[in-house]
Amino acid sequence: MRVGTHDDSWWSRAAVYQVYPRSFRDGNGDGLGDLQGVIDGLGHLESLSIDAVWLSPFYPSPQNDSGYDVSDPRAVDPMFGTLDDFARLVDQAHERGLRVIVDIVPNHVSASHSWFVEALSSPAGSPARRRFHFVDGKGEAGELPPNNWESIFGGPAWTRVKEPDGSWGQWYLHLFDHTQPDLNWVNDEVRIDALNTLAFWLDLRVDGFRVDVALGLAKDMTYPDLIDPIGMSQSLRFDLDPGSAEAVERRAALANSAIFDRDEIHDIYRQWRSLLESYGNDKMAVVEAWVAPERASRYVAPDTLHQIFGFDFLVVAWDAKSIRDAIQHGIDAVSAVGAPPTWALSNHDSPRVVTRLGDGPEGLARARALALIAHALPGSVYVYQGEELGLCDVEVPDSARQDPVWFRSAGREKGRDGGRVPLPWSGSQPPYGFTDRADVSLWLPQPEHWESWTVEAEGDDPDSMLNLYRSSLALRRSHSSLASEEIEFWSVDDDELVVFRRGADVVVVANTSDQWLPSPVAGSILVASGPVVAGDAGVEIGPNTTVWLQM
Ligand code: GLC
């Protein structure tokens, strides 16, 4: 089969590296990651044959949700630097041939955004309140929330406010933390403001946007009760095998529902598309929207946006059939409209892939093997910082946890901090070159055992995850068969193998079993994630190993 890619736009085959700015690298010696740190780390990205860097939010924010609670979307938080730093970052990235993608968070703002502050001091029904979802409560005195919607971070999705005169008043909607009020996208002011934000960053020469919670902007403003409010809110959690009946059912329940994936959302994205096109045809947007496969293509139709994250590898079970299904699913979801598929093994919301696949040597072997599968696929691949080092989730002490998920679930869920710990760059003890400042305690503590997981240590080790990523991503860029849009599954007798051909002459064979297995195809080894022996009798593949063969 061939995957569609619209055309030969840069994003259709890009390797994109996600930077989580607080934890990438400290450039000014204050112990926190910042934009100067990103500039200092661009060489690392270049050595990985990365095409674009996606920056998670660096905007002014109280950091209640690590920057996804934005109080001013058109500025840089002083903790990360200045707009001049940002402009330098774009310049230096472009000089190295790297594009820059920034996050846009349109579903909600921070409670400290001037609009929300104004809304709190304005009366019910005022224009300031109409930028949000302020609704009267139920019950005799409005003491009950307007409906049964649940926050995705746990607990109710409504919080009651004290009116300016000190009495209890209306409730406002927040699908996430109570410090992240949802915007009302029926309001033109909200729409215009988002267009201004896009234009602001485009004027600073960014190449694209990652759209946070892209499926959530439109709501049913009759605010009906949901039949399954907890299932709905949990449907955004990445904890289900995508092929499982429960996952399919949950995603189906989202389609055009009261809070997610409503048809009218696409009017918004059509407007965005026109704006992007007014800046030329090389600007893109990738949406975060975990929706049923038959709904995904709406987000990436020729008149809406460009890419939708393929999240199946974030949850896929480690067996050949699940992996084949995930690939097919990822391609089918978008090919009908000619959009390129995308692949991500991890991100700042998910457990680290090594941990998810079993931790220890086995988890690492499987993560290496899954990476070689993903890097061989048509479309673009997203790499989350630290994934290229094979980092595990860190056991963050409860007293150090920051994620609102931890607080809102009253500790029932540990949350996402374990995958957000500052990166190890060099040296043999914390802070491992993340910052020059020795006396600092990092916002999330690094473990003591990262000495051999630093960029420096792995760079010197030919068998490291880092060198595997360097080899596979370089080949992905240079080998014409891997650049092609063609992929063909080979049916094999062994149900523990995933085998597909790419382009004219590359075959990818993944052995998902715990034993050595013979490859059904012969060829010379281009790159392998684990032990492989090529002899006269053919190619033997070690346990939990993927190999790319040149036929
Ligand atoms: C997205 C982000 C996540 C954030 C949430 C609320 O899912 O990826 O980190 O917590 O939106 O903005």
Side-chain angles (χ1 to χ4, degrees):
M1 67 192 146
R2 284 183 89 78
V3 303
T5 54
H6 282 317
D7 45 45
D8 58 358
S9 332
W10 64 266
W11 58 84
S12 63
R13 287 204 303 263
V16 184
Y17 186 97
Q18 180 188 358
V19 163
Y20 198 65
R22 267 179 117 170
S23 291
F24 182 69
R25 194 176 165 123
D26 174 20
N28 69 355
D30 68 353
L32 267 178
D34 48 37
L35 296 180
Q36 182 58 48
V38 180
I39 296 174
D40 297 341
L42 290 175
H44 173 58
L45 273 51
E46 219 181 347
S47 83
L48 280 162
S49 304
I50 293 293
D51 301 296
V53 51
W54 148 33
L55 299 167
S56 279
F58 49 85
Y59 317 118
S61 160
Q63 301 285 329
N64 285 332
D65 185 20
S66 290
Y68 284 94
D69 47 326
V70 179
S71 41
D72 179 356
R74 298 188 284 274
V76 173
D77 193 298
M79 80 187 246
F80 293 121
T82 62
L83 272 176
D84 282 345
D85 293 331
F86 181 78
R88 272 193 308 120
L89 192 166
V90 174
D91 274 346
Q92 298 202 18
H94 285 171
E95 257 168 45
R96 291 175 188 261
L98 287 159
R99 317 260 177 171
V100 178
I101 296 173
V102 297
D103 229 293
I104 174 161
V105 188
N107 181 69
H108 44 266
V109 293
S110 160
S112 65
H113 186 291
S114 59
W115 275 3
F116 195 70
V117 174
E118 188 188 343
L120 287 182
S121 61
S122 304
S126 59
R129 289 222 170 160
R130 283 202 300 271
R131 296 178 183 131
F132 298 92
H133 296 269
F134 273 88
V135 182
D136 292 335
K138 284 188 179 156
E140 242 161 64
E143 71 282 10
L144 300 172
N147 65 25
N148 68 354
W149 296 0
E150 291 268 335
S151 155
I152 287 144
F153 290 162
W158 298 93
T159 292
R160 196 173 190 191
V161 299
K162 283 250 168 102
E163 297 298 348
D165 66 4
S167 63
W168 282 108
Q170 291 190 297
W171 299 71
Y172 67 89
L173 176 67
H174 51 89
L175 290 185
F176 295 88
D177 190 46
H178 71 284
T179 61
Q180 294 167 294
D182 280 52
L183 288 166
N184 169 12
W185 274 84
V186 170
N187 188 321
D188 272 343
E189 248 189 294
V190 169
R191 292 183 180 230
I192 291 166
D193 193 67
L195 291 170
N196 289 342
T197 299
L198 294 170
F200 179 86
W201 295 105
L202 287 164
D203 289 340
L204 283 164
R205 300 190 304 125
V206 305
D207 303 285
F209 298 91
R210 177 260 186 192
V211 187
D212 190 62
V213 198
L215 78 176
L217 312 196
K219 274 103 188 168
D220 180 340
M221 288 177 65
T222 65
Y223 307 108
D225 273 342
L226 293 173
I227 298 168
D228 173 23
I230 295 177
M232 290 283 280
S233 65
Q234 286 191 342
S235 52
L236 282 197
R237 303 253 179 88
F238 306 129
D239 58 356
L240 288 176
D241 172 351
S244 70
E246 195 186 346
V248 170
E249 206 178 296
R250 276 193 192 173
R251 283 196 298 265
L254 284 187
N256 208 11
S257 67
I259 53 174
F260 286 139
D261 191 30
R262 295 178 67 74
D263 291 343
E264 64 264 30
I265 282 185
H266 302 293
D267 295 338
I268 299 168
Y269 298 138
R270 281 185 200 101
Q271 264 188 316
W272 290 19
R273 174 87 182 214
S274 312
L275 178 77
L276 293 185
E277 281 179 359
S278 73
Y279 282 80
N281 59 7
D282 61 348
K283 307 293 180 191
M284 61 82 81
V286 51
V287 303
E288 183 206 24
W290 196 333
V291 294
E294 60 281 9
R295 307 275 304 177
S297 59
R298 295 167 177 248
Y299 292 80
V300 290
D303 63 342
T304 55
L305 297 177
H306 307 80
Q307 284 191 334
I308 178 165
F309 283 119
F311 285 140
D312 289 357
F313 279 1
L314 292 184
V315 290
V316 72
W318 184 248
D319 71 72
K321 177 172 186 317
S322 302
I323 294 170
R324 276 194 297 265
D325 288 351
I327 297 172
Q328 191 71 55
H329 180 249
I331 291 173
D332 290 349
V334 292
S335 326
V337 290
T342 66
W343 314 98
L345 267 49
S346 61
N347 63 30
H348 66 293
D349 292 327
S350 67
R352 289 228 175 249
V353 59
V354 174
T355 301
R356 191 179 76 72
L357 295 177
D359 256 335
E362 187 182 72
L364 184 61
R366 291 174 174 178
R368 291 170 63 98
L370 191 58
L372 279 206
I373 295 174
H375 298 177
L377 292 171
S380 59
V381 59
Y382 284 78
V383 178
Y384 172 52
Q385 67 179 38
E387 182 190 308
E388 79 282 18
L389 301 174
L391 299 184
C392 298
D393 261 21
V394 174
E395 263 305 321
V396 173
D398 289 349
S399 59
R401 289 195 183 280
Q402 309 268 341
D403 189 346
V405 170
W406 159 257
F407 296 105
R408 291 187 64 88
S409 71
R412 277 188 308 281
E413 291 185 43
K414 295 280 179 203
R416 302 159 293 180
D417 295 319
R420 298 176 171 182
V421 172
L423 284 194
W425 289 86
S426 59
S428 57
Q429 59 195 37
Y432 300 105
F434 170 75
T435 173
D436 289 341
R437 197 166 145 180
D439 62 332
V440 75
S441 50
L442 301 180
W443 76 284
L444 289 171
Q446 294 168 321
E448 294 294 335
H449 59 78
W450 265 1
E451 183 174 344
S452 49
W453 300 92
T454 65
V455 173
E456 183 184 60
E458 291 201 29
D460 294 339
D461 173 3
D463 296 327
S464 67
M465 185 75 139
L466 178 58
N467 278 319
L468 178 70
Y469 268 58
R470 284 182 177 156
S471 308
S472 61
L473 293 173
L475 261 171
R476 184 178 181 280
R477 185 185 267 176
S478 63
H479 198 300
S480 59
S481 289
L482 291 165
S484 100
E485 292 166 12
E486 240 184 272
I487 173 168
E488 185 192 356
F489 279 116
W490 284 15
S491 58
V492 283
D493 294 336
D494 204 313
D495 31 313
E496 294 178 308
L497 292 178
V498 180
V499 187
F500 56 89
R501 178 179 57 79
R502 289 284 286 115
D505 55 5
V506 172
V507 173
V508 176
V509 187
N511 171 7
T512 60
S513 80
D514 290 331
Q515 276 134 56
W516 283 81
L517 288 177
S519 165
V521 197
S524 57
I525 299 169
L526 286 170
V527 59
S529 72
V532 176
V533 178
D536 293 343
V539 179
E540 292 282 325
I541 308 175
N544 297 313
T545 294
T546 301
V547 59
W548 295 1
L549 295 170
Q550 175 74 55
M551 286 161 79

